[in-house]
Amino acid sequence: MTKPISKFVCQECGSTFSKWMGQCDVCKAWNCIVEEIVSDVKTTKQAPVPDDFFVSICDGMEKTDYSTSKCHKTISNEVNRVLGGGLIDGAVILLGGPPGIGKSTLLLQILADIKGLDNFVYISAEESIKQVMLRANRLQIYNPQLKIAASSSLQQILQSISSLKHNSIVVIDSIQTISSELIQSPPGSISQVRFCTQELVNFAKNNDVIVIIVGHITKEGAIAGPKTLEHMVDCVLYFEGDKSYDYRILRGEKNRYGPTDEIGVFAMTGTGLEEISNPSAAFLSEHNENVSGVAVFSGIEGTRPILSEIQALVSHTSIAIPRRSSVGFDSNRLAMLVAVLSNRCKINFSNKDVYLNIAGGLRITEPAADLPVIAAIVSSAFQKPLPKGSVFFGEVSLSGEARQSHLAYSRIKEAQKLGFTEIFCSYKTDDFEKSKDVNIRKIKSIRDIIKILGT
Ligand code: TYD
Ligand code: MG
């Protein structure tokens, strides 16, 4: 019998210690070290190596027909786009997101139909079979090949799916609620999560089965469990959005088979998630041009242009350190842009709070949003609306100069498609074929934005 030993494991970063501590020495997080019992299995047995351990890459190509290694398309174009085409046999996908955002709903809807697959399995460790049935009824999922089960035992799950081969998909909802009897720590602990994921990855690779694992996220928004979890799987997706809005965004964080910069946009309705094929129109549905502090940004998410509304509010404050606060935009970048504005345009922000919000719960990380952010702040500071039909894009350097952004043509075309007529971009943007519908107004420095307000 091996003697069980206990280790103290940080639940944030997975570091192990021999004694309990209040703060993790490695990631500096507080109150995250938990005692876990691990069996100390030490073996000196040599592993046997089969004769065909190494295969010549050329042999492999002759023997295996790689053209049949299929990409299975789901019914949702948005999901396919984020996955880089579809699901590949043997792929392991980790789907993370805050509670109640719609992960289970999305997966159940995907399981309604996937091209070329014969076996569909949904195993819930959070809900009972009856609850899953109720949800499936509500979502009107009629797929006779879809089998559902409720179990939280890894051994039982692996046993039940052991006969599956390629052209099969298994969804595990969620990794934090299943556990293995071989590990003595509770479900959701670092050791359990790591062990269960490894077993599921081995199963997927050995049997060529697609496995989708749902993962809970921490307060900070990362998938709960060790960071190694993200290294173990082929694809990491995040399902996010502000719960006060209907919009939900599926974002790729890592993908071994496709791009990671694409997003899929959905709306949560009474009958499940609906795809939004024209996100720009959806995000601008409540746009009002006659208000100060509002600018439209023509952004790029992956390969797709998406227009969004940036709102700023500049208000007087009597506190010593004025606030720079943002929702959906990096607040350090906001502070930097405010500093550039006050330094280069001599606008006094020392007694002004600056708030920024991206409408519709969208999160913008592109530097090309600098110009519309500055336009919205200036418009709010001077209380004057920006010109009718205007759209902005362009990075701003610390000198206040507008820099060019990639895919300018797609951004302009998208703005034109939605009826915008004045496109403000960097003076370095390439010249495009002149169109009488749009007016491309090139900006050299952020001072030009103050000029367009007529100030
Ligand atoms: P769920 O998929 O259970 O979230 P998660 O698995 O990420 O925790 O979704 C729960 C939310 O979705 C809940 O707040 C209600 C909402 N919802 C709808 O609005 N319409 C629907 O048809 C369904 C099934 C859920
Ligand atoms: Mg769920």
Side-chain angles (χ1 to χ4, degrees), residues 312-324 334-355 373-383 446 450:
L313 181 74
V314 177
S315 75
H316 185 80
T317 179
S318 48
I319 56 169
I321 305 168
R323 277 174 171 240
R324 310 282 179 246
L334 170 64
M336 186 190 91
L337 294 174
V338 172
V340 172
L341 255 179
S342 55
N343 188 291
R344 306 289 167 187
C345 303
K346 305 289 172 241
I347 305 175
N348 183 12
F349 284 101
S350 63
N351 56 351
K352 303 268 197 308
D353 283 342
V354 180
Y355 300 96
V373 166
I374 291 217
I377 295 174
V378 170
S379 159
S380 174
F382 291 109
Q383 305 234 339
I446 53 171
I450 300 177

Side-chain angles (χ1 to χ4, degrees), residues 212-401:
I212 304 185
I213 304 170
V214 175
H216 292 174
I217 62 164
T218 59
K219 279 204 298 289
E220 290 75 33
I223 289 182
K227 200 71 189 156
T228 44
L229 208 64
E230 300 194 12
H231 293 292
M232 281 150 76
V233 299
D234 300 311
C235 180
V236 179
L237 306 178
Y238 279 93
F239 201 40
E240 54 191 32
D242 193 327
K243 264 193 262 166
S244 27
Y245 295 96
D246 292 338
Y247 300 119
R248 302 283 184 268
I249 290 162
L250 185 67
R251 198 184 284 276
E253 181 78 17
K254 163 189 173 176
N255 193 351
R256 286 187 182 146
Y257 313 113
T260 52
D261 47 5
E262 293 286 358
I263 63 164
V265 185
F266 301 85
M268 182 59 96
T269 69
T271 49
L273 290 156
E274 262 175 31
E275 289 185 22
I276 306 243
S277 46
N278 188 353
S280 302
F283 288 124
L284 293 178
S285 59
E286 289 175 43
H287 175 59
N288 183 350
E289 291 191 325
N290 300 321
V291 183
S292 65
V294 173
V296 176
F297 167 47
S298 186
I300 297 278
E301 291 287 350
T303 49
R304 183 165 58 159
I306 292 186
L307 263 58
S308 51
E309 185 184 282
I310 296 184
Q311 306 162 349
L313 181 74
V314 177
S315 75
H316 185 80
T317 179
S318 48
I319 56 169
I321 305 168
R323 277 174 171 240
R324 310 282 179 246
S325 170
S326 61
V327 178
F329 190 78
D330 179 20
S331 34
N332 287 332
R333 193 146 191 115
L334 170 64
M336 186 190 91
L337 294 174
V338 172
V340 172
L341 255 179
S342 55
N343 188 291
R344 306 289 167 187
C345 303
K346 305 289 172 241
I347 305 175
N348 183 12
F349 284 101
S350 63
N351 56 351
K352 303 268 197 308
D353 283 342
V354 180
Y355 300 96
L356 196 78
N357 178 40
I358 314 294
L362 207 63
R363 187 159 58 87
I364 296 180
T365 50
E366 239 199 311
D370 292 352
L371 216 50
V373 166
I374 291 217
I377 295 174
V378 170
S379 159
S380 174
F382 291 109
Q383 305 234 339
K384 282 190 177 178
L386 290 160
K388 258 187 178 328
S390 60
V391 163
F392 298 78
F393 65 88
E395 190 179 340
V396 170
S397 68
L398 290 181
S399 61
E401 188 195 29

Side-chain angles (χ1 to χ4, degrees), residues 7 48 107 115 117 132 143-144 156 170 179 191 226 231 235 263 281 291 313 356-357 364 375 380 385 416 427 444:
K7 278 185 183 169
L107 291 177
K115 264 213 175 97
L117 293 192
V132 179
N143 179 359
Q156 193 181 35
V170 175
S179 60
S191 328
H231 293 292
C235 180
I263 63 164
V291 183
L313 181 74
L356 196 78
N357 178 40
I364 296 180
S380 174
Q416 188 180 1
Y427 69 108
K444 189 158 190 333

Side-chain angles (χ1 to χ4, degrees), residues 98-105 122 124 126-127 135 173-174 214 216:
I101 202 75
K103 300 179 291 298
S104 310
T105 310
Y122 178 92
S124 179
E126 296 189 349
E127 291 166 276
R135 190 199 294 258
D173 191 357
S174 65
V214 175
H216 292 174

